[in-house]
């Protein structure tokens, strides 16, 4: 059974930085897509950043482009999301997700993702 364990998150002032990590275990496929979605109160879940383990191709939502960076350590089945220049509108619960299909670039639609982490809160506030 695939499990995703997230770490990181917390509260930071506007303009600050945070790093999220997500480690996958129990995988039975050699390649997959993995990354982050987020959901703010009263809003739908939206894709943030995703990466393919096969070729490193990525998806970034437009509003975070240039501020967030996703990376992966395939040997550890772990992805990282480095968030800089955080804004109040980045406040949300961030969910790690994994798509066992070997799609490049990765899908940005949540329905394609088979496994989800428990979520970690990111709050940007002064």
């Amino acid at each position: 059974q695939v499990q995703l364990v997230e770490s990181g998150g917390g509260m930071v002032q506007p303009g600050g930085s945070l790093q999220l990590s997500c480690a996958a275990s129990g995988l039975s496929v050699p390649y997959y897509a993995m990354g982050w979605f987020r959901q703010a109160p009263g809003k739908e879940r939206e894709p943030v950043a995703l990466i393919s383990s096969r070729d490193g191709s990525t998806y970034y939502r437009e509003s975070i482009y240039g501020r967030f960076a996703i990376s992966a350590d395939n040997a550890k089945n772990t992805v990282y999301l480095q968030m800089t220049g955080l804004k109040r509108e980045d406040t949300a619960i961030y969910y790690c997700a994994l798509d066992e299909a070997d799609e490049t670039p990765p899908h940005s639609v949540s329905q394609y993702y088979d496994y989800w982490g428990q979520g970690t809160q990111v709050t940007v506030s002064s």
Side-chain angles (χ1 to χ4, degrees):
Q1 179 70 15
V2 174
Q3 289 190 323
L4 303 178
V5 178
E6 301 157 342
S7 60
M11 180 177 289
V12 65
Q13 293 185 343
S17 300
L18 284 173
Q19 184 181 59
L20 306 181
S21 301
C22 179
S25 62
L27 290 169
S28 60
V29 295
Y31 299 106
Y32 49 86
M34 194 167 165
W36 300 90
F37 290 74
R38 69 185 182 188
Q39 188 166 19
K43 294 187 177 181
E44 294 187 353
R45 190 170 297 189
E46 60 188 22
V48 178
L50 302 152
I51 189 167
S52 165
S53 69
R54 174 181 284 277
D55 64 1
S57 58
T58 57
Y59 163 88
Y60 287 102
R61 98 175 278 101
E62 186 174 351
S63 63
I64 61 91
Y65 205 83
R67 299 189 294 122
F68 293 9
I70 190 168
S71 60
D73 183 338
N74 291 336
K76 297 181 179 179
N77 293 324
T78 300
V79 296
Y80 306 93
L81 184 66
Q82 181 65 45
M83 304 184 290
T84 61
L86 282 160
K87 303 177 180 180
R88 289 183 173 82
E89 52 264 41
D90 295 318
T91 295
I93 299 175
Y94 283 67
Y95 296 92
C96 179
L98 187 144
D99 173 10
E100 288 187 314
D102 185 12
E103 294 291 337
T104 58
H107 285 299
S108 61
V109 177
S110 62
Q111 285 87 341
Y112 286 99
Y113 286 77
D114 309 288
Y115 301 98
W116 293 83
Q118 77 281 4
T120 186
Q121 178 71 46
V122 172
T123 301
V124 185
S125 175
S126 55

